[in-house]
Amino acid sequence: MNAENTRRAEQLLGSFPNRSSALIPILHLVEDEFGFIPEGEVESVAAMLDVTKAYVESVLSFYTLFHRQPTGKYLVQVCRGLSCHLRGGDDLARFLYEELGLRRNGTTEDGLFTVEEVECLALCKDAPVIQVNLEYRPNVSRADLAKFLRQAREGVTADA
Ligand code: FES
């Protein structure tokens, strides 16, 4: 972590009764800084919290907000929960894979897009839902996605 995030991590450590309780907020600092959780940071965070590396790994494997590999500039998360499934979420994922030449869950070779299928994004009333870089995009259609991909490729701020 850089100096600023190390300082913030130390502050977090002091604000919890148990050091290990600061694990998730500290992992968010790492994810925000690097765009993923590098191997070396797993060891550093484990040492900082006085827990095992395996413990940190177990937390990382549980939460889809943390990534072990670099993600694309646009992280597109497609909800595969029931409401979204019933309202075309699977078709949206299929469309993205076709358009981007990806198999299930992956990053394009140009590093522009990462697609992930995730569990319920908790906005079921507006299904189908995706997130782009953790921002909700409700009631998404294939046409919305096509527009988003085009604008993203053109470097224009995209709406889906
Ligand atoms: S099922 Fe997609 S937001 Fe809940």
Side-chain angles (χ1 to χ4, degrees):
M1 277 188 280
N2 62 31
E4 171 61 16
N5 279 339
T6 300
R7 187 189 63 74
R8 293 171 68 190
E10 285 166 0
Q11 275 183 336
L12 285 166
L13 286 171
S15 62
F16 289 95
N18 301 313
R19 293 175 76 80
S20 61
S21 300
L23 176 57
I24 289 179
I26 289 175
L27 288 174
H28 278 297
L29 292 176
V30 176
E31 176 88 18
D32 289 347
E33 180 177 332
F34 294 93
F36 70 111
I37 311 288
E39 184 66 25
E41 295 298 319
V42 174
E43 293 175 17
S44 299
V45 170
M48 185 182 293
L49 274 64
D50 198 23
V51 297
T52 65
K53 186 179 163 198
Y55 180 76
V56 177
E57 297 275 6
S58 71
V59 171
L60 288 173
S61 67
F62 185 77
Y63 291 101
T64 56
L65 284 171
F66 300 124
H67 299 87
R68 297 310 311 277
Q69 303 294 328
T71 58
K73 179 178 179 184
Y74 297 98
L75 172 60
V76 184
Q77 295 179 307
V78 182
C79 179
R80 66 178 183 190
L82 180 59
S83 297
C84 289
H85 171 75
L86 293 173
R87 300 201 60 192
D90 292 357
D91 185 57
L92 295 179
R94 199 166 32 251
F95 177 77
L96 285 169
Y97 294 140
E98 287 169 5
E99 288 293 314
L100 300 174
L102 294 172
R103 291 176 178 256
R104 189 162 184 244
N105 293 341
T107 300
T108 54
E109 285 185 11
D110 62 5
L112 199 54
F113 302 100
T114 294
V115 178
E116 291 178 345
E117 292 180 56
V118 297
E119 299 304 325
C120 178
L121 289 169
L123 197 65
C124 308
K125 73 177 183 58
D126 292 325
V129 177
I130 68 168
Q131 282 188 325
V132 177
N133 295 345
L134 303 182
E135 286 188 13
Y136 280 117
R137 308 290 175 99
N139 298 306
V140 176
S141 67
R142 272 184 171 233
D144 296 328
L145 282 181
K147 180 180 174 188
F148 159 67
L149 294 177
R150 187 179 64 251
Q151 291 183 329
R153 285 172 170 141
E154 291 170 354
V156 178
T157 303
D159 289 317

PDB file of all heavy atoms in Angstrom, residues 78-85 118-129 136, ligand 1:
ATOM      1  N   VAL A  78     -22.873  -8.506 -14.027  1.00  0.00           N
ATOM      2  CA  VAL A  78     -24.225  -8.834 -14.465  1.00  0.00           C
ATOM      3  C   VAL A  78     -24.885  -9.691 -13.396  1.00  0.00           C
ATOM      4  O   VAL A  78     -24.358 -10.749 -13.027  1.00  0.00           O
ATOM      5  CB  VAL A  78     -24.191  -9.610 -15.801  1.00  0.00           C
ATOM      6  CG1 VAL A  78     -25.612  -9.892 -16.279  1.00  0.00           C
ATOM      7  CG2 VAL A  78     -23.413  -8.831 -16.859  1.00  0.00           C
ATOM      8  N   CYS A  79     -26.022  -9.222 -12.916  1.00  0.00           N
ATOM      9  CA  CYS A  79     -26.714  -9.953 -11.858  1.00  0.00           C
ATOM     10  C   CYS A  79     -27.306 -11.243 -12.413  1.00  0.00           C
ATOM     11  O   CYS A  79     -27.933 -11.248 -13.473  1.00  0.00           O
ATOM     12  CB  CYS A  79     -27.830  -9.092 -11.269  1.00  0.00           C
ATOM     13  SG  CYS A  79     -28.740  -9.961  -9.973  1.00  0.00           S
ATOM     14  N   ARG A  80     -27.096 -12.337 -11.692  1.00  0.00           N
ATOM     15  CA  ARG A  80     -27.685 -13.610 -12.090  1.00  0.00           C
ATOM     16  C   ARG A  80     -28.693 -14.089 -11.041  1.00  0.00           C
ATOM     17  O   ARG A  80     -29.006 -15.276 -10.965  1.00  0.00           O
ATOM     18  CB  ARG A  80     -26.608 -14.641 -12.348  1.00  0.00           C
ATOM     19  CG  ARG A  80     -25.824 -15.032 -11.123  1.00  0.00           C
ATOM     20  CD  ARG A  80     -24.804 -16.084 -11.453  1.00  0.00           C
ATOM     21  NE  ARG A  80     -24.116 -16.499 -10.243  1.00  0.00           N
ATOM     22  CZ  ARG A  80     -23.043 -17.255 -10.240  1.00  0.00           C
ATOM     23  NH1 ARG A  80     -22.516 -17.676 -11.371  1.00  0.00           N
ATOM     24  NH2 ARG A  80     -22.473 -17.610  -9.114  1.00  0.00           N
ATOM     25  N   GLY A  81     -29.187 -13.159 -10.226  1.00  0.00           N
ATOM     26  CA  GLY A  81     -30.220 -13.504  -9.251  1.00  0.00           C
ATOM     27  C   GLY A  81     -31.539 -13.820  -9.943  1.00  0.00           C
ATOM     28  O   GLY A  81     -31.700 -13.600 -11.149  1.00  0.00           O
ATOM     29  N   LEU A  82     -32.489 -14.305  -9.170  1.00  0.00           N
ATOM     30  CA  LEU A  82     -33.739 -14.811  -9.759  1.00  0.00           C
ATOM     31  C   LEU A  82     -34.511 -13.732 -10.519  1.00  0.00           C
ATOM     32  O   LEU A  82     -34.942 -13.957 -11.649  1.00  0.00           O
ATOM     33  CB  LEU A  82     -34.616 -15.422  -8.659  1.00  0.00           C
ATOM     34  CG  LEU A  82     -35.957 -15.982  -9.144  1.00  0.00           C
ATOM     35  CD1 LEU A  82     -35.728 -17.078 -10.184  1.00  0.00           C
ATOM     36  CD2 LEU A  82     -36.763 -16.496  -7.969  1.00  0.00           C
ATOM     37  N   SER A  83     -34.703 -12.569  -9.906  1.00  0.00           N
ATOM     38  CA  SER A  83     -35.491 -11.523 -10.577  1.00  0.00           C
ATOM     39  C   SER A  83     -34.848 -11.131 -11.899  1.00  0.00           C
ATOM     40  O   SER A  83     -35.533 -10.958 -12.916  1.00  0.00           O
ATOM     41  CB  SER A  83     -35.616 -10.292  -9.674  1.00  0.00           C
ATOM     42  OG  SER A  83     -36.309 -10.619  -8.508  1.00  0.00           O
ATOM     43  N   CYS A  84     -33.549 -10.965 -11.887  1.00  0.00           N
ATOM     44  CA  CYS A  84     -32.860 -10.593 -13.123  1.00  0.00           C
ATOM     45  C   CYS A  84     -32.892 -11.736 -14.127  1.00  0.00           C
ATOM     46  O   CYS A  84     -33.039 -11.512 -15.332  1.00  0.00           O
ATOM     47  CB  CYS A  84     -31.427 -10.169 -12.819  1.00  0.00           C
ATOM     48  SG  CYS A  84     -31.362  -8.579 -11.964  1.00  0.00           S
ATOM     49  N   HIS A  85     -32.768 -12.960 -13.643  1.00  0.00           N
ATOM     50  CA  HIS A  85     -32.856 -14.125 -14.527  1.00  0.00           C
ATOM     51  C   HIS A  85     -34.199 -14.124 -15.254  1.00  0.00           C
ATOM     52  O   HIS A  85     -34.264 -14.325 -16.473  1.00  0.00           O
ATOM     53  CB  HIS A  85     -32.677 -15.405 -13.706  1.00  0.00           C
ATOM     54  CG  HIS A  85     -32.946 -16.651 -14.468  1.00  0.00           C
ATOM     55  ND1 HIS A  85     -32.069 -17.149 -15.405  1.00  0.00           N
ATOM     56  CD2 HIS A  85     -33.999 -17.494 -14.448  1.00  0.00           C
ATOM     57  CE1 HIS A  85     -32.578 -18.251 -15.924  1.00  0.00           C
ATOM     58  NE2 HIS A  85     -33.750 -18.479 -15.363  1.00  0.00           N
ATOM     59  N   VAL A 118     -22.616 -12.085 -11.127  1.00  0.00           N
ATOM     60  CA  VAL A 118     -22.611 -12.000  -9.665  1.00  0.00           C
ATOM     61  C   VAL A 118     -23.994 -12.324  -9.113  1.00  0.00           C
ATOM     62  O   VAL A 118     -24.986 -12.324  -9.843  1.00  0.00           O
ATOM     63  CB  VAL A 118     -22.178 -10.592  -9.188  1.00  0.00           C
ATOM     64  CG1 VAL A 118     -20.751 -10.289  -9.613  1.00  0.00           C
ATOM     65  CG2 VAL A 118     -23.128  -9.524  -9.701  1.00  0.00           C
ATOM     66  N   GLU A 119     -24.030 -12.570  -7.833  1.00  0.00           N
ATOM     67  CA  GLU A 119     -25.311 -12.856  -7.170  1.00  0.00           C
ATOM     68  C   GLU A 119     -26.105 -11.555  -7.033  1.00  0.00           C
ATOM     69  O   GLU A 119     -25.616 -10.480  -7.357  1.00  0.00           O
ATOM     70  CB  GLU A 119     -25.062 -13.508  -5.811  1.00  0.00           C
ATOM     71  CG  GLU A 119     -24.328 -14.832  -5.896  1.00  0.00           C
ATOM     72  CD  GLU A 119     -25.016 -15.841  -6.793  1.00  0.00           C
ATOM     73  OE1 GLU A 119     -26.265 -15.855  -6.838  1.00  0.00           O
ATOM     74  OE2 GLU A 119     -24.314 -16.596  -7.473  1.00  0.00           O
ATOM     75  N   CYS A 120     -27.304 -11.668  -6.510  1.00  0.00           N
ATOM     76  CA  CYS A 120     -28.258 -10.557  -6.447  1.00  0.00           C
ATOM     77  C   CYS A 120     -27.587  -9.246  -6.017  1.00  0.00           C
ATOM     78  O   CYS A 120     -26.902  -9.177  -5.000  1.00  0.00           O
ATOM     79  CB  CYS A 120     -29.377 -10.903  -5.474  1.00  0.00           C
ATOM     80  SG  CYS A 120     -30.576  -9.574  -5.278  1.00  0.00           S
ATOM     81  N   LEU A 121     -27.828  -8.215  -6.819  1.00  0.00           N
ATOM     82  CA  LEU A 121     -27.250  -6.900  -6.547  1.00  0.00           C
ATOM     83  C   LEU A 121     -28.181  -6.033  -5.697  1.00  0.00           C
ATOM     84  O   LEU A 121     -27.924  -4.843  -5.514  1.00  0.00           O
ATOM     85  CB  LEU A 121     -26.918  -6.196  -7.861  1.00  0.00           C
ATOM     86  CG  LEU A 121     -25.732  -6.797  -8.632  1.00  0.00           C
ATOM     87  CD1 LEU A 121     -25.637  -6.210 -10.039  1.00  0.00           C
ATOM     88  CD2 LEU A 121     -24.427  -6.562  -7.888  1.00  0.00           C
ATOM     89  N   ALA A 122     -29.259  -6.632  -5.227  1.00  0.00           N
ATOM     90  CA  ALA A 122     -30.165  -5.976  -4.274  1.00  0.00           C
ATOM     91  C   ALA A 122     -30.903  -4.785  -4.866  1.00  0.00           C
ATOM     92  O   ALA A 122     -31.159  -3.798  -4.181  1.00  0.00           O
ATOM     93  CB  ALA A 122     -29.415  -5.576  -2.995  1.00  0.00           C
ATOM     94  N   LEU A 123     -31.214  -4.876  -6.152  1.00  0.00           N
ATOM     95  CA  LEU A 123     -32.055  -3.858  -6.786  1.00  0.00           C
ATOM     96  C   LEU A 123     -33.095  -4.575  -7.657  1.00  0.00           C
ATOM     97  O   LEU A 123     -33.356  -4.199  -8.794  1.00  0.00           O
ATOM     98  CB  LEU A 123     -31.189  -2.909  -7.630  1.00  0.00           C
ATOM     99  CG  LEU A 123     -31.838  -1.578  -8.018  1.00  0.00           C
ATOM    100  CD1 LEU A 123     -32.119  -0.719  -6.789  1.00  0.00           C
ATOM    101  CD2 LEU A 123     -30.964  -0.819  -9.004  1.00  0.00           C
ATOM    102  N   CYS A 124     -33.670  -5.617  -7.073  1.00  0.00           N
ATOM    103  CA  CYS A 124     -34.508  -6.554  -7.827  1.00  0.00           C
ATOM    104  C   CYS A 124     -35.692  -5.862  -8.516  1.00  0.00           C
ATOM    105  O   CYS A 124     -36.118  -6.292  -9.583  1.00  0.00           O
ATOM    106  CB  CYS A 124     -35.021  -7.655  -6.911  1.00  0.00           C
ATOM    107  SG  CYS A 124     -33.734  -8.464  -5.963  1.00  0.00           S
ATOM    108  N   LYS A 125     -36.232  -4.815  -7.919  1.00  0.00           N
ATOM    109  CA  LYS A 125     -37.406  -4.157  -8.513  1.00  0.00           C
ATOM    110  C   LYS A 125     -37.076  -3.542  -9.872  1.00  0.00           C
ATOM    111  O   LYS A 125     -37.974  -3.272 -10.654  1.00  0.00           O
ATOM    112  CB  LYS A 125     -37.969  -3.094  -7.566  1.00  0.00           C
ATOM    113  CG  LYS A 125     -37.119  -1.845  -7.460  1.00  0.00           C
ATOM    114  CD  LYS A 125     -37.773  -0.808  -6.565  1.00  0.00           C
ATOM    115  CE  LYS A 125     -36.990   0.488  -6.495  1.00  0.00           C
ATOM    116  NZ  LYS A 125     -36.760   1.158  -7.759  1.00  0.00           N
ATOM    117  N   ASP A 126     -35.807  -3.312 -10.130  1.00  0.00           N
ATOM    118  CA  ASP A 126     -35.391  -2.705 -11.400  1.00  0.00           C
ATOM    119  C   ASP A 126     -34.654  -3.698 -12.298  1.00  0.00           C
ATOM    120  O   ASP A 126     -33.823  -3.318 -13.120  1.00  0.00           O
ATOM    121  CB  ASP A 126     -34.495  -1.498 -11.139  1.00  0.00           C
ATOM    122  CG  ASP A 126     -35.264  -0.351 -10.506  1.00  0.00           C
ATOM    123  OD1 ASP A 126     -36.447  -0.169 -10.846  1.00  0.00           O
ATOM    124  OD2 ASP A 126     -34.687   0.360  -9.671  1.00  0.00           O
ATOM    125  N   ALA A 127     -34.951  -4.983 -12.122  1.00  0.00           N
ATOM    126  CA  ALA A 127     -34.304  -6.014 -12.928  1.00  0.00           C
ATOM    127  C   ALA A 127     -34.668  -5.867 -14.415  1.00  0.00           C
ATOM    128  O   ALA A 127     -35.782  -5.419 -14.722  1.00  0.00           O
ATOM    129  CB  ALA A 127     -34.742  -7.385 -12.431  1.00  0.00           C
ATOM    130  N   PRO A 128     -33.742  -6.219 -15.299  1.00  0.00           N
ATOM    131  CA  PRO A 128     -32.408  -6.732 -15.032  1.00  0.00           C
ATOM    132  C   PRO A 128     -31.415  -5.613 -14.723  1.00  0.00           C
ATOM    133  O   PRO A 128     -31.488  -4.527 -15.282  1.00  0.00           O
ATOM    134  CB  PRO A 128     -32.033  -7.449 -16.326  1.00  0.00           C
ATOM    135  CG  PRO A 128     -32.782  -6.714 -17.389  1.00  0.00           C
ATOM    136  CD  PRO A 128     -34.055  -6.246 -16.744  1.00  0.00           C
ATOM    137  N   VAL A 129     -30.499  -5.924 -13.830  1.00  0.00           N
ATOM    138  CA  VAL A 129     -29.567  -4.927 -13.316  1.00  0.00           C
ATOM    139  C   VAL A 129     -28.130  -5.345 -13.617  1.00  0.00           C
ATOM    140  O   VAL A 129     -27.791  -6.519 -13.530  1.00  0.00           O
ATOM    141  CB  VAL A 129     -29.737  -4.787 -11.781  1.00  0.00           C
ATOM    142  CG1 VAL A 129     -28.722  -3.818 -11.208  1.00  0.00           C
ATOM    143  CG2 VAL A 129     -31.143  -4.351 -11.442  1.00  0.00           C
ATOM    144  N   TYR A 136     -24.792   1.282 -10.204  1.00  0.00           N
ATOM    145  CA  TYR A 136     -25.964   0.567 -10.697  1.00  0.00           C
ATOM    146  C   TYR A 136     -26.399   1.067 -12.068  1.00  0.00           C
ATOM    147  O   TYR A 136     -26.409   2.275 -12.323  1.00  0.00           O
ATOM    148  CB  TYR A 136     -27.150   0.766  -9.751  1.00  0.00           C
ATOM    149  CG  TYR A 136     -27.133  -0.111  -8.534  1.00  0.00           C
ATOM    150  CD1 TYR A 136     -27.051   0.458  -7.271  1.00  0.00           C
ATOM    151  CD2 TYR A 136     -27.224  -1.489  -8.638  1.00  0.00           C
ATOM    152  CE1 TYR A 136     -27.053  -0.333  -6.134  1.00  0.00           C
ATOM    153  CE2 TYR A 136     -27.220  -2.292  -7.514  1.00  0.00           C
ATOM    154  CZ  TYR A 136     -27.140  -1.712  -6.264  1.00  0.00           C
ATOM    155  OH  TYR A 136     -27.134  -2.490  -5.144  1.00  0.00           O
TER     156      TYR A 136
HETATM  157  S1  FES B   1     -31.974 -10.523  -8.677  1.00  0.00           S
HETATM  158 FE1  FES B   1     -30.872  -8.996  -9.742  1.00  0.00          FE
HETATM  159  S2  FES B   1     -30.877  -7.328  -8.380  1.00  0.00           S
HETATM  160 FE2  FES B   1     -31.809  -8.927  -7.262  1.00  0.00          FE
END
